[in-house]
């Protein structure tokens, strides 16, 4: 997708490319507490491999921040720290002003994550996968859970697939089910780990629109890790470029485009427009 | 040194998982659907193969012991010998090895695959405790199913022994003599002895298989390795604990 065209469409106001709007049932249910994220001096090593070497990042409430970087620079590890799946060697992560690694930390917000591998439960149907959080925490009765699940599946373009097992879905469809699962948690902060890898251009656009819708209509704080430069510039309020365990540039899409740093330009310039190596 | 560290790490991990699982047993009544699903797999679906193994084990016991006892003129004791051997030792150990091989391996493979493909992480992000959601139902189902399976296999094993004793020309023992002797020697204490062992073996198999599965990292190759590791460790621990449990039961006069 051409970046300029994307930006223009974005300005026209969250127009979904496929004409699909937010499911009304889910729209009425989603309410964001607008939490900010503050990462200070985050360091993490796995043995001799120093993955994160002092990450500082501020994400304002309701903002969508995209983290860009080459493979193996620690993007996914950073997300795993934010959601609490990894403990840092040093540094702190504040979500809504509270340090999530503080022993006295009491979770007052919901953070959900769309995993790169989708991480669907193969023994459960699509409906059971999406509704698992609501069912396990007994948030609503079965009827309301079913409605919310249907609405979430409609948003990701999988209406009518409730009874299918994950093994029958393509990689892209699994990713969309994982997105629906993350949405029904009614998150205050949502993390996307490579949300469009393996998706066709049409579905990539749908995911991009969905992220924009969540930002514009619900004001959910979002952190997106991706390699997809078009998607990054389409959805981001701010972009962070991660290189060798450090954030080397952080700013608005315009700041990043104008950045003179060679590493940044090399990463954001379409590869086939660069001279042959 | 690494081996010693690894031993203590695994032992600590197993004890810690057992404690956490026991804690989450408080949520058993709210998870009866998951427990019954596991009971179906662990108990019901093991019945045909359990029957086959028990029938032939009872038969081979009678086949080996019958002629020797007949030569001594005490062939009427075959029933008691087969009965006691099955109730106290062979029943619990055979059922445990069957469950570890058939169900424990599947348990480890499923949990290892969930670990490798980030499903356990996904559960954590949804504030769903993996021990409550995955381990506790398997633990309760194994601990409940194994003693029942032992009783079932004992009864079928006795029958196998009776059939072989009746048709073996060197023994030719009637069913009534066989079962009378069995009833005289197999008392309630012996029966409880086997059930206590079965319960303990159920704890060992479920905790070992779940622990190894949850700790798996890597890819498909590591899943295969984890299954082998879990089954071998379960076999070894079942046999080692069999000795110590027998010693303890003897100490308390229950053997």
């Amino acid at each position: 997708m051409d970046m300029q065209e994307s930006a223009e469409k974005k300005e026209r106001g969250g127009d979904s490319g496929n004409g699909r709007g937010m499911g009304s049932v889910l729209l009425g249910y989603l309410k964001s507490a607008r939490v900010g994220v503050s990462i200070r001096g985050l360091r993490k090593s796995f043995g001799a491999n120093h993955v994160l070497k002092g990450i500082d990042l501020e994400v304002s409430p309701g903002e969508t921040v995209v983290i860009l970087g080459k493979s193996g620079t620690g993007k996914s590890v950073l997300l795993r720290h934010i959601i609490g799946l990894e403990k840092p060697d040093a540094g702190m992560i504040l979500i809504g002003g509270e340090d999530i690694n503080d022993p006295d930390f009491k979770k007052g917000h919901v953070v959900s994550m769309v995993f790169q591998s989708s991480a669907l439960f193969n023994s459960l149907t699509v409906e059971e996968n999406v509704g698992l959080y609501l069912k396990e925490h007994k948030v609503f009765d079965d009827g309301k859970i079913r409605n919310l699940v249907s609405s979430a599946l409609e948003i990701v373009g999988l209406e009518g697939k409730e009874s299918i097992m994950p093994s029958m879905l393509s990689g892209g469809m699994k990713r969309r089910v994982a997105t629906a699962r993350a949405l029904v948690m009614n998150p205050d902060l949502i993390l996307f780990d490579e949300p469009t890898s393996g998706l066709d251009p049409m579905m990539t656009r749908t995911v991009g629109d969905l992220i924009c819708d969540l930002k514009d209509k619900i004001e959910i704080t979002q952190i997106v890790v991706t390699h997809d430069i078009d998607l990054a510039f389409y959805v981001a309020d701010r972009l962070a470029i991660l290189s060798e365990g450090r954030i080397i540039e952080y700013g608005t899409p315009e700041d990043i485009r104008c950045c003179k740093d060679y590493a940044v330009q090399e990463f954001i310039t379409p590869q086939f427009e660069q001279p042959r190596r | 040194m690494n081996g010693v560290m690894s031993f203590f790490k695994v032992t600590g991990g197993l004890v810690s998982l057992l404690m956490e699982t026991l804690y989450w047993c408080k949520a058993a009544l709210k998870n009866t659907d998951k427990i019954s699903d596991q009971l179906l797999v662990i108990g019901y679906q093991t019945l045909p193969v359990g029957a086959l193994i028990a029938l032939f084990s009872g038969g081979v016991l009678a086949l080996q012991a019958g002629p020797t006892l007949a030569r001594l003129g005490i062939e009427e004791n075959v029933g008691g010998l087969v009965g006691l051997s099955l109730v106290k030792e062979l029943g619990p150990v055979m059922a445990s090895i069957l469950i570890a091989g058939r169900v424990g391996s599947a348990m480890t493979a499923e949990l290892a695959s969930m670990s490798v493909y980030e499903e356990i992480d996904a559960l954590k992000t949804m504030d769903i405790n993996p021990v409550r959601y995955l381990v506790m139902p398997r633990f309760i189902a194994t601990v409940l199913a194994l003693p029942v399976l032992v009783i079932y296999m004992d009864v079928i094993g006795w029958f196998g022994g009776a059939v072989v004793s009746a048709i073996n020309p060197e023994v030719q023992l009637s069913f009534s003599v066989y079962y009378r002797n069995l009833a005289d020697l197999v008392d309630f204490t012996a029966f409880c002895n086997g059930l206590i062992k079965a319960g303990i073996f159920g704890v060992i198999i479920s905790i070992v298989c779940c622990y190894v599965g949850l700790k798996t990292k890597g890819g498909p190759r590591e899943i295969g390795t984890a299954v082998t590791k879990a089954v071998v460790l379960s076999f070894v621990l079942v046999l080692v604990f069999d000795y110590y449990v027998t010693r303890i039961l003897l100490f308390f006069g229950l053997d």
Side-chain angles (χ1 to χ4, degrees), chain A residues 98-268:
Chain A
E98 294 174 76
D99 184 354
I100 63 165
N101 293 307
D102 189 323
D104 298 327
F105 170 69
K106 281 184 186 154
K107 205 169 179 181
H109 52 262
V110 178
V111 183
S112 67
M113 179 165 168
V114 180
F115 287 84
Q116 191 174 359
S117 62
S118 303
L120 298 182
F121 305 106
N122 284 320
S123 55
L124 304 180
T125 63
V126 165
E127 183 179 19
E128 288 166 339
N129 263 287
V130 177
L132 184 65
Y133 173 85
L134 301 176
K135 193 175 175 223
E136 283 298 312
H137 293 283
K138 307 219 181 324
V139 180
F140 299 116
D141 59 61
D142 287 353
K144 182 148 190 198
I145 291 175
R146 213 168 295 125
N147 282 344
L148 283 171
V149 169
S150 297
S151 185
L153 288 174
E154 190 189 323
I155 286 172
V156 296
L158 288 174
E159 56 270 40
K161 305 280 186 199
E162 282 87 345
S163 57
I164 290 178
M165 299 304 285
S167 57
M168 305 291 284
L169 300 174
S170 69
M173 289 164 99
K174 284 181 184 171
R175 195 73 47 79
R176 284 143 67 190
V177 174
T179 306
R181 185 174 67 182
L183 284 179
V184 299
M185 287 172 68
N186 191 11
D188 303 312
L189 167 65
I190 184 162
L191 311 175
F192 291 92
D193 192 0
E194 301 285 3
T196 57
S197 73
L199 297 188
D200 58 62
M202 299 282 283
M203 214 54 238
T204 299
R205 174 61 200 262
T206 303
V207 171
D209 288 337
L210 174 64
I211 294 171
C212 290
D213 279 346
L214 290 172
K215 178 172 63 176
D216 299 336
K217 297 180 181 172
I218 319 291
E219 298 182 322
I220 295 177
T221 310
Q222 300 175 96
I223 300 177
V224 183
V225 156
T226 184
H227 284 117
D228 189 332
I229 306 294
D230 290 332
L231 176 83
F233 280 92
Y234 183 59
V235 303
D237 292 319
R238 284 197 283 178
L239 288 147
I241 311 288
L242 191 63
S243 179
E244 293 178 3
R246 289 191 179 87
I247 288 175
I248 56 168
E249 197 62 46
Y250 187 42
T252 63
E254 206 47 48
D255 294 338
I256 299 295
R257 276 198 199 98
C258 299
C259 177
K260 301 287 183 220
D261 190 299
Y262 174 75
V264 175
Q265 282 307 317
E266 188 192 36
F267 194 82
I268 65 168

Side-chain angles (χ1 to χ4, degrees), chain A residues 66-86:
Chain A
V66 175
I67 300 169
L68 281 168
K70 292 178 192 170
S71 298
T73 48
K75 303 187 297 295
S76 296
V77 175
L78 178 57
L79 282 195
R80 290 174 65 83
H81 276 87
I82 297 170
I83 204 157
L85 290 172
E86 298 282 353

Side-chain angles (χ1 to χ4, degrees), chain B residues 97-110:
Chain B
I97 286 177
L98 174 64
I99 288 287
R102 190 191 165 280
V103 180
S105 57
M107 229 182 251
T108 306
E110 188 182 2

